[in-house]
Amino acid sequence: MSSLSILQKACLRFAQLPVPPLRVPLRPPPRRPLGLPRRSAMSSVASRLSQIASAAASGAAGESNEPPPAAASGLAQDEDDLSSGTMGYRLPPKEIQDIVDAPPLPVLSFSPNKDKILFLKRRALPPLSDLAKPEEKLAGVRIDGHSNTRSRMSFYTGLGIHKLMENGTLGPEKEVHGYPDGARINFVTWSQDGRHLSFSVRVDEEDNTSGKLRLWVADVESGEARPLFKSPEIYLNAIFDSFVWVNNSTLLVCIIPLSRGAPPQKPSVPSGPKIQSNETKNVVQVRTFQDLLKDEYDADLFDYYATSQLVLVSLDGTVKPVGPPVVYTSIDPSPDDKYLMISSIHRPYSYIVPCGRFPKKVDLWTVDGKFIRELCDLPLAEDIPIATSSVRKGKRSIYWRPDKPSTLYWVETQDGGDAKVEVSPRDIVYMENAEPVNGEQPEILHKLDLRYAGTSWCDESLALVYESWYKTRKTRTWVVSPDKKDVSPRILFDRSSEDVYSDPGSPMLRRTAMGTYVIAKVKKQDESTYILLNGMGATPEGNVPFLDLFDINTGSKQRIWESDKEKYYEAVVALMSDKTDGELPLEQLKILTSKESKTENTQYYLQVWPEKKQIQITDFPHPYPQLASLYKEMIRYERKDGVQLTAKLYLPPGYDPSKDGPLPCLVWSYPGEFKSKDAAGQVRGSPNEFPGIGATSPLLWLARGFAILSGPTIPIIGEGDEEANDRYVEQLVASAEAAVEEVVRRGVVHPDKVAVGGHSYGAFMTANLLAHAPHLFCCGIARSGAYNRTLTPFGFQNEDRTLWEATNTYVEMSPFMSANKIKKPILLIHGEQDNNSGTLTMQSDRFFNALKGHGALSRLVVLPFESHGYSARESIMHVLWETDRWLQKYCVNDTSNIDSDSVADTGNKTLSASGGGAPQEGPEAVGFSSMQRSLL
């Protein structure tokens, strides 16, 4: 799969990041994330630690990270009463608390000209009171009605600007000032010229309700910030898009309509029954979506909160309304600032799919709001087939060409969006001027037999078009000449997306004079022209990232930079020597790299050609020095069917096997699907990567003396026409057996003290292993899982057969159906308001009842207000306490056969539901933060 298609699938999750992510533009995203202006330098590139702890958002500088005092009263039960019911929030042992409460480092953002770095300051974990604020669940969106934005939205607490000096060092910090104390800052973006910052500010009310968002701007040179709108009654509507820079002095902003009144009131008596009908006998199969509209009142409420008025506002505060109030979902100015591409959704709405499938209209306006033409009006899409690689009918992926002033491109399916239909071509990519003249028709850029996966643009003679197909894992990269009709497209790369060893890398981008990003061309002294390919460099010894000069015509390449292999893991983060026109001389090349090791946290460096001089620009402290000397090894072993497997083995600091003997071990993993044994056996990751520890990471138990087997590969392979899940249990158990046998063979793990755990699909794995491989594990921890596949009858994960097409597979894979076989202790944890598709909280409720009905030693913990991932400090600390108690009782001491409620003295503290801080993942980071730098 191309790196662009990986970007399309990126998604964020709440977790604490111990090192700051960098936000620098690398390649134009196939879809601008909500709240992220198209030309901002905020495209988020998280550090490699984001694979374990996602780059989330904001935190307070100087804010105390000491845990709040234990509640003096209010506990429903005695501290030692651990029976069913409610209990106070607990704190884990201090050695775990100290790591989780470590102050977060700031997020970094480079200015468009790469001459300044913005430090966005964050707080730590949020208090539960933040999650407890009222929210509306409408059309797949959770809304804070008080602030008229997404609920649970994280934020920054402060902004500091540093100049990047000529010698690569950072100048003194200039603090952005002028906004109110306690301000919650979001959507921070640079103007195209880098002279101004725009951001939203909200301040909570005295009753702890959220304040509405106001738009502010700051002068970068002075650091002075001020509200942009003169009227204090103008507020942002940030349910979907919020604002975007149109030019260096004007922004297009989504505001709450000034004429909007009070929200609609729910009728006390319904006007009639709720009816859904399929008398037309349409075939409509949908996944298990949540937070959907339930009735007409919900639809009215959705309209109320999501409807925006667009306004143009200049830096002097002049405001001009643009267009009518509707539910705008994205606003995208053309590169030459003359046109606006406006997307909106409209009725009829649906009760079975989220708003992303509602009828969608895309219009073209002039920049001052004059309607030009309709690009498309797509109908309600309830009937997208569940088969992987199926898409919506009609125009999709409509964007501006970044190398042209105002040229649109898009793709249209030829198979009706159904991946099961055989047709050639399957997708066609079109181009068209914003205002066609003399009856011009759209021009075909390329026809594809696989599913379109994105385009990287360079100039009139070069663009790279990607296509892929999940079922076969095939991915292709085509070279096309967009404006040269006499040059035929040709295949540049044709490979398997699973074959990481053959990944050639992705093109690096440069900034244009229009503020967009295109493929960078590099010229050598011999006048030859190349592009730069930035790759993760997967090898049997682990990833060794690289940067190649690549001749697009001959396919020849020259490696001009490569990561250290012995001690460090380095990666190219961004091109720093932007040249806004023409080709970049190789001797002027300057790149930003990251560098880390098993024991040294990530730092960032400038690499300057021709000497390849390395200049360190950050010096962040170790986030958890108490674990600085931990042991890490990437181990390799073999499954009984010959498949090569890998895992990361961690041992506590100071561990000596000859003196300390075998350790208790926590195995934490997540299964993956493959089409070939060879691909499944390839090594992914690096033995030299720094071990990032998130707020709920299994690595926290290194501080408790556990060995941790992190991410042992559990490939579920379906070669040829075989479906992987038809042998799911068999391959799952074989992979687990191989992993446990290897660490026991090494003498570092006690064979009777191995626990297993996982989150989401990893929880599903955990329950299955306790049911089908009880000889391997003494207990399990399953968080936010789905255990009964009959409750997800129209597919799950990458399974695209229905329950009725693969009944045996659904039943045999479901640990719910094997609840009578589970004899080892299992701890179930679930967020009470899980909104992830398929993992309803009901899954854990019903699984626990099935376990209890068979006398299984089990415990269910449901976390109030939490979703699929957990974010409140009280919740996270309690999850850690529950997990530690479970591991101490049923792994270290193995009291599963003892009728006792006694627990170690590590948890005799309670935590009041107040105070704390938060991992951040503002909407400005959606789609980028959790990506590997090498894949970007």
Side-chain angles (χ1 to χ4, degrees):
M1 184 178 294
S2 72
S3 59
L4 193 60
S5 64
I6 291 173
L7 279 172
Q8 288 177 305
K9 296 186 176 181
C11 65
L12 292 174
R13 53 190 170 85
F14 276 51
Q16 185 178 12
L17 181 68
V19 303
L22 283 168
R23 300 186 174 203
V24 288
L26 294 177
R27 64 182 300 161
R31 176 169 298 167
R32 179 162 54 90
L34 298 179
L36 179 62
R38 72 187 161 104
R39 291 182 294 202
S40 127
M42 299 290 289
S43 301
S44 177
V45 183
S47 82
R48 290 287 298 124
L49 296 186
S50 64
Q51 294 179 54
I52 299 176
S54 290
S58 13
E63 181 173 308
S64 172
N65 285 283
E66 290 297 316
S73 61
L75 290 179
Q77 301 172 339
D78 183 81
E79 286 185 353
D80 291 329
D81 185 2
L82 301 177
S83 60
S84 299
T86 58
M87 62 183 295
Y89 287 96
R90 302 295 183 94
L91 290 168
K94 186 176 186 302
E95 53 264 45
I96 291 180
Q97 282 188 61
D98 289 346
I99 298 172
V100 176
D101 278 332
L105 295 172
V107 173
L108 306 186
S109 165
F110 281 87
S111 65
N113 297 319
K114 309 294 197 313
D115 59 343
K116 297 179 180 67
I117 303 179
L118 180 66
F119 281 55
L120 298 103
K121 300 169 185 179
R122 311 181 290 157
R123 65 175 183 175
L125 300 172
L128 189 62
S129 58
D130 275 12
L131 273 64
K133 293 177 181 178
E135 64 182 357
E136 304 290 347
K137 301 172 183 178
L138 303 169
V141 179
R142 294 187 171 183
I143 296 172
D144 183 335
H146 288 286
S147 62
N148 217 104
T149 186
R150 300 293 179 104
S151 61
R152 306 164 184 246
M153 189 169 71
S154 51
F155 55 89
Y156 305 108
T157 59
L159 307 173
I161 303 169
H162 294 261
K163 285 187 177 180
L164 187 59
M165 312 303 286
E166 288 294 329
N167 62 1
T169 61
L170 296 181
E173 180 176 272
K174 184 185 299 293
E175 185 175 355
V176 175
H177 58 277
Y179 46 79
D181 292 339
R184 300 187 171 203
I185 299 169
N186 288 97
F187 310 118
V188 184
T189 58
W190 295 87
S191 62
Q192 182 181 342
D193 59 8
R195 296 177 58 190
H196 291 89
L197 292 169
S198 57
F199 51 92
S200 69
V201 169
R202 57 190 165 114
V203 179
D204 278 359
E205 309 294 342
E206 291 183 0
D207 60 357
N208 199 40
T209 58
S210 303
K212 289 185 170 59
L213 279 68
R214 299 192 65 193
L215 181 58
W216 283 60
V217 293
D219 181 271
V220 170
E221 203 58 41
S222 66
E224 183 176 353
R226 58 181 175 84
L228 184 55
F229 291 106
K230 297 176 181 177
S231 169
E233 302 302 317
I234 298 179
Y235 300 104
L236 290 179
N237 186 335
I239 301 299
F240 294 109
D241 223 340
S242 52
F243 58 84
V244 61
W245 287 92
V246 173
N247 54 48
N248 288 323
S249 61
T250 308
L251 294 97
L252 181 63
V253 186
C254 295
I255 67 168
I256 298 173
L258 296 177
S259 59
R260 190 180 78 172
Q265 296 298 306
K266 187 176 182 66
S268 56
V269 178
S271 59
K274 300 175 182 178
I275 298 173
Q276 298 185 56
S277 174
N278 191 36
E279 295 179 50
T280 55
K281 299 183 179 180
N282 294 327
V283 176
V284 178
Q285 301 177 348
V286 295
R287 293 289 178 106
T288 315
F289 298 116
Q290 302 198 49
D291 298 342
L292 302 176
L293 298 179
K294 298 180 291 296
D295 50 32
E296 188 62 22
Y297 166 72
D298 273 2
D300 291 342
L301 203 60
F302 176 76
D303 278 338
Y304 176 83
Y305 288 116
T307 297
S308 296
Q309 172 66 59
L310 293 179
V311 297
L312 287 167
V313 55
S314 59
L315 289 178
D316 63 7
T318 303
V319 177
K320 177 185 176 182
V322 177
V326 299
V327 183
Y328 296 107
T329 55
S330 72
I331 48 179
D332 193 4
S334 61
D336 62 1
D337 302 329
K338 292 183 179 179
Y339 300 97
L340 299 172
M341 183 166 57
I342 306 295
S343 299
S344 60
I345 56 178
H346 60 81
R347 298 195 183 215
Y349 296 153
S350 170
Y351 297 155
I352 64 173
V353 294
C355 60
R357 295 192 182 187
F358 287 179
K360 177 182 178 181
K361 192 169 184 285
V362 183
D363 292 331
L364 194 64
W365 298 355
T366 62
V367 75
D368 58 358
K370 178 184 175 182
F371 176 82
I372 298 176
R373 63 189 178 105
E374 179 185 285
L375 297 178
C376 67
D377 192 351
L378 304 178
L380 179 64
E382 290 183 331
D383 59 349
I384 298 176
I386 63 172
T388 309
S389 300
S390 295
V391 295
R392 190 173 192 162
K393 300 174 186 176
K395 291 183 178 180
R396 68 183 197 277
S397 301
I398 309 174
Y399 304 109
W400 297 105
R401 268 184 65 171
D403 63 321
K404 291 289 185 180
S406 53
T407 298
L408 294 159
Y409 71 101
W410 68 91
V411 63
E412 294 185 32
T413 180
Q414 307 300 299
D415 58 10
D418 189 348
K420 293 184 177 180
V421 173
E422 295 296 333
V423 64
S424 178
R426 190 172 290 277
D427 274 341
I428 299 179
V429 186
Y430 295 92
M431 301 183 300
E432 187 177 47
N433 290 325
E435 292 191 81
V437 295
N438 301 324
E440 288 178 341
Q441 294 300 308
E443 179 182 343
I444 293 177
L445 174 67
H446 195 29
K447 297 180 179 180
L448 301 167
D449 285 336
L450 307 181
R451 188 63 76 204
Y452 172 76
T455 303
S456 293
W457 297 89
C458 183
D459 52 30
E460 67 281 350
S461 65
L462 176 62
L464 301 180
V465 179
Y466 309 99
E467 63 174 339
S468 63
W469 197 247
Y470 177 76
K471 275 292 185 184
T472 60
R473 309 301 199 271
K474 181 177 284 292
T475 179
R476 293 182 186 137
T477 302
W478 291 83
V479 177
V480 298
S481 298
D483 302 326
K484 294 187 176 182
K485 313 304 177 198
D486 57 337
V487 180
S488 299
R490 59 184 175 86
I491 292 179
L492 182 63
F493 305 120
D494 188 352
R495 46 182 291 273
S496 168
S497 60
E498 291 183 337
D499 182 11
V500 293
Y501 292 169
S502 70
D503 189 348
S506 302
M508 299 205 71
L509 307 181
R510 67 170 178 86
R511 186 170 178 267
T512 70
M514 296 182 292
T516 57
Y517 288 84
V518 299
I519 297 173
K521 283 187 173 180
V522 176
K523 181 184 294 185
K524 292 178 67 176
Q525 292 181 344
D526 61 6
E527 298 301 311
S528 299
T529 300
Y530 303 83
I531 66 173
L532 294 167
L533 291 182
N534 176 19
M536 63 181 176
T539 74
E541 288 71 45
N543 290 355
V544 183
F546 63 83
L547 187 64
D548 282 349
L549 279 180
F550 184 79
D551 189 318
I552 205 77
N553 297 312
T554 66
S556 63
K557 58 186 177 182
Q558 174 190 349
R559 189 142 299 178
I560 61 173
W561 179 90
E562 188 174 68
S563 171
D564 175 79
K565 301 177 184 178
E566 302 305 319
K567 179 181 179 182
Y568 291 100
Y569 176 83
E570 301 171 283
V572 176
V573 179
L575 180 65
M576 298 295 286
S577 50
D578 273 343
K579 187 174 177 64
T580 58
D581 57 346
E583 299 165 343
L584 174 67
L586 178 60
E587 60 271 17
Q588 296 180 19
L589 183 64
K590 184 188 299 183
I591 60 174
L592 180 73
T593 62
S594 63
K595 185 176 183 179
E596 62 198 76
S597 73
K598 298 175 184 178
T599 58
E600 299 173 45
N601 54 303
T602 305
Q603 306 294 348
Y604 294 94
Y605 295 78
L606 289 177
Q607 302 270 355
V608 182
W609 268 251
E611 299 88 359
K612 297 186 182 179
K613 181 181 178 183
Q614 188 178 84
I615 306 169
Q616 184 172 346
I617 61 174
T618 62
D619 187 17
F620 300 119
H622 197 293
Y624 20 87
Q626 60 270 54
L627 295 180
S629 59
L630 62 79
Y631 174 87
K632 174 189 175 183
E633 181 184 356
M634 182 176 284
I635 62 174
R636 300 202 66 181
Y637 48 98
E638 187 176 291
R639 201 164 75 179
K640 62 184 179 182
D641 60 358
V643 176
Q644 296 295 313
L645 304 177
T646 60
K648 294 176 183 176
L649 174 63
Y650 296 89
L651 299 173
Y655 170 68
D656 184 340
S658 62
K659 295 180 181 179
D660 303 324
L663 298 173
C665 177
L666 175 58
V667 178
W668 199 271
S669 193
Y670 192 99
E673 295 176 14
F674 292 86
K675 288 302 292 181
S676 76
K677 292 182 179 180
D678 289 342
Q682 291 184 352
V683 176
R684 291 162 174 83
S686 167
N688 296 326
E689 290 173 281
F690 181 72
I693 302 180
T696 56
S697 168
L699 299 186
L700 289 166
W701 275 270
L702 289 168
R704 298 283 284 159
F706 273 71
I708 307 296
L709 195 64
S710 178
T713 50
I714 300 184
I716 310 299
I717 304 166
E719 293 188 304
D721 295 330
E722 181 188 25
E723 295 288 345
N725 285 337
D726 288 346
R727 293 197 301 120
Y728 173 85
V729 172
E730 173 191 338
Q731 297 188 66
L732 176 71
V733 172
S735 298
E737 284 178 338
V740 173
E741 287 171 3
E742 175 62 20
V743 291
V744 170
R745 182 191 67 79
R746 289 168 171 258
V748 297
V749 168
H750 194 293
D752 298 326
K753 297 184 177 183
V754 182
V756 62
H759 188 96
S760 194
Y761 205 50
F764 177 74
M765 169 206 74
T766 297
N768 266 307
L769 285 173
L770 292 186
H772 301 292
H775 59 290
L776 295 177
F777 303 105
C778 59
C779 65
I781 299 103
R783 300 192 318 222
S784 299
Y787 308 102
N788 184 353
R789 285 304 166 197
T790 68
L791 297 178
T792 56
F794 292 109
F796 55 91
Q797 291 293 108
N798 294 310
E799 177 59 68
D800 55 13
R801 296 171 296 174
T802 70
L803 168 64
W804 299 273
E805 293 170 326
T807 304
N808 289 340
T809 297
Y810 272 67
V811 171
E812 290 169 5
M813 287 183 68
S814 297
F816 179 86
M817 302 300 181
S818 300
N820 61 316
K821 298 179 182 179
I822 296 180
K823 307 301 181 184
K824 295 298 178 69
I826 182 170
L827 171 64
L828 305 175
I829 303 175
H830 217 120
E832 191 174 40
Q833 299 186 29
D834 192 328
N835 63 343
N836 184 57
S837 177
T839 55
L840 293 81
T841 308
M842 173 182 65
Q843 288 272 6
S844 287
D845 288 332
R846 293 188 177 180
F847 187 40
F848 176 70
N849 287 334
L851 292 167
K852 190 167 60 171
H854 290 88
L857 198 166
S858 54
R859 181 175 174 88
L860 171 63
V861 178
V862 177
L863 303 169
F865 303 112
E866 293 290 353
S867 186
H868 190 58
Y870 320 136
S871 57
R873 184 177 188 275
E874 294 90 335
S875 301
I876 287 174
M877 290 297 183
H878 190 84
V879 166
L880 300 177
W881 177 83
E882 291 278 2
T883 304
D884 188 72
R885 170 186 175 270
W886 207 254
L887 292 173
Q888 296 298 324
K889 188 172 185 180
Y890 300 118
C891 182
V892 175
N893 299 318
D894 192 8
T895 61
S896 57
N897 295 316
I898 300 174
D899 183 17
S900 171
D901 279 334
S902 62
V903 294
D905 192 40
T906 58
N908 289 337
K909 297 180 181 179
T910 59
L911 173 65
S912 66
S914 62
Q920 298 292 317
E921 94 178 5
E924 59 267 37
V926 172
F928 295 87
S929 295
S930 60
M931 301 300 5
Q932 298 181 29
R933 288 190 304 259
S934 55
L935 294 181
L936 291 168

